[in-house]
Amino acid sequence: MGLFSKLLTAFRGATTEASEAILDTQAMRILEQEVRDAKKHLDEAKENLAKVIAEQMGVEREIKRLQKSIEEYEEHAVQALDKGENQLAEEIAEKIADWENELNAQQQVLENYNSSISTLKQHIKDTEHNLKSMEREINVVKTTESVQKANAATAPKLSGSTSALRKASDSLERIKKKQQQKADQTKAARELQQQESNSDLSEKLSKTGILQDKMSSQSVLERIKAKRQTKGDIRF
């Protein structure tokens, strides 16, 4: 019996684990379905609340009608008494009494409606809050699950391709260096060509006298002497 009991306990444990695994696999689907069911029940509750509010409005109208009738017939009773119609006044008073009893009953019904509506509104508000919180949690869980699946799918590939990525990175650096060298060579060739072109052009302009030679110290001194001589002549 001891061995059989242990086997039975092990079987139950395995069955429980299998059941939990199935539940975990379907947990999100079950939870989303429960949220949809809760939303459906919430919509039904709102519809029922609208019906209750409509009934409350009907009771309020009945109360106003009774109050108005009571006020009118009280005036009639006063007029009957003024005319000495005591019997008529008693009949009117009896009618007013019936209305006042009905008014009291309707006011009690209205109080019950007011209390029920207030409670229902609070329940609906709490349920809406809980549903929103549950939907946020579901979105977080689904996002976390997607990230974990992505990590599980990419982690082995990334770890297995570290050397390949390093080689590709090295190749990329070599390509960039070669491209930079070609760019530098092209730039240098253009600068040399530009210098040669400018030099040839300057030489041609100098030969034709269009481009004058650079100023020398001797020419500057001669210009200063000429200005000095001019000032001396003006002075005389």
Side-chain angles (χ1 to χ4, degrees):
M1 290 296 294
L3 178 60
F4 178 77
S5 178
K6 291 180 180 179
L7 290 174
L8 182 60
T9 302
F11 175 76
R12 288 178 178 176
T15 303
T16 301
E17 291 178 358
S19 300
E20 289 178 352
I22 294 174
L23 288 175
D24 290 341
T25 303
Q26 302 298 324
M28 189 60 62
R29 184 178 300 174
I30 294 171
L31 189 57
E32 289 178 340
Q33 182 61 47
E34 290 179 347
V35 169
R36 286 193 292 269
D37 292 342
K39 285 184 175 180
K40 181 180 178 181
H41 295 322
L42 181 60
D43 291 337
E44 293 175 353
K46 289 181 178 180
E47 291 179 1
N48 293 331
L49 176 60
K51 294 178 181 178
V52 173
I53 292 175
E55 293 173 358
Q56 176 202 40
M57 295 170 65
V59 173
E60 289 176 341
R61 284 194 299 270
E62 180 63 16
I63 289 174
K64 291 179 180 179
R65 186 190 68 80
L66 290 170
Q67 289 172 339
K68 183 178 179 180
S69 297
I70 291 171
E71 291 176 359
E72 290 178 355
Y73 273 74
E74 282 180 348
E75 293 178 1
H76 295 334
V78 171
Q79 292 174 1
L81 290 172
D82 291 341
K83 292 180 179 181
E85 298 288 341
N86 294 332
Q87 182 64 32
L88 179 60
E90 289 180 2
E91 293 179 2
I92 295 173
E94 184 177 355
K95 186 66 175 177
I96 291 173
D98 291 338
W99 283 338
E100 286 182 345
N101 290 329
E102 179 63 21
L103 177 62
N104 291 332
Q106 291 295 328
Q107 286 176 336
Q108 183 62 44
V109 171
L110 180 61
E111 289 179 3
N112 293 334
Y113 271 126
N114 291 337
S115 178
S116 298
I117 289 171
S118 178
T119 302
L120 287 171
K121 285 183 176 179
Q122 187 61 46
H123 287 335
I124 289 173
K125 183 178 180 181
D126 293 341
T127 302
E128 288 177 336
H129 176 73
N130 292 335
L131 279 174
K132 289 180 180 179
S133 298
M134 181 61 68
E135 287 179 330
R136 285 194 296 266
E137 291 182 9
I138 289 174
N139 290 333
V140 171
V141 171
K142 291 173 70 175
T143 303
T144 302
E145 185 179 3
S146 298
V147 172
Q148 290 176 348
K149 287 182 178 179
N151 288 334
T154 57
K157 295 179 180 179
L158 289 175
S159 61
S161 60
T162 302
S163 59
L165 289 174
R166 187 180 298 111
K167 292 179 180 179
S169 179
D170 294 340
S171 299
L172 181 61
E173 288 298 325
R174 287 195 299 272
I175 292 172
K176 290 167 66 176
K177 287 181 180 179
K178 289 181 180 179
Q179 290 177 343
Q180 187 61 48
Q181 288 177 351
K182 290 183 179 179
D184 292 342
Q185 291 175 358
T186 302
K187 183 178 180 181
R190 288 178 179 175
E191 290 178 353
L192 290 174
Q193 183 178 4
Q194 185 68 27
Q195 291 176 1
E196 292 176 358
S197 176
N198 291 338
S199 177
D200 293 342
L201 181 61
S202 299
E203 184 177 353
K204 292 179 181 179
L205 292 173
S206 298
K207 288 181 180 180
T208 56
I210 296 176
L211 183 64
Q212 297 181 355
D213 294 336
K214 293 182 179 180
M215 300 298 292
S216 62
S217 58
Q218 185 61 34
S219 61
V220 172
L221 184 59
E222 292 296 331
R223 186 180 69 248
I224 293 172
K225 289 180 178 180
K227 287 182 179 180
R228 180 172 176 275
Q229 183 65 34
T230 302
K231 290 180 179 179
D233 294 342
I234 292 173
R235 203 175 292 169
F236 290 107

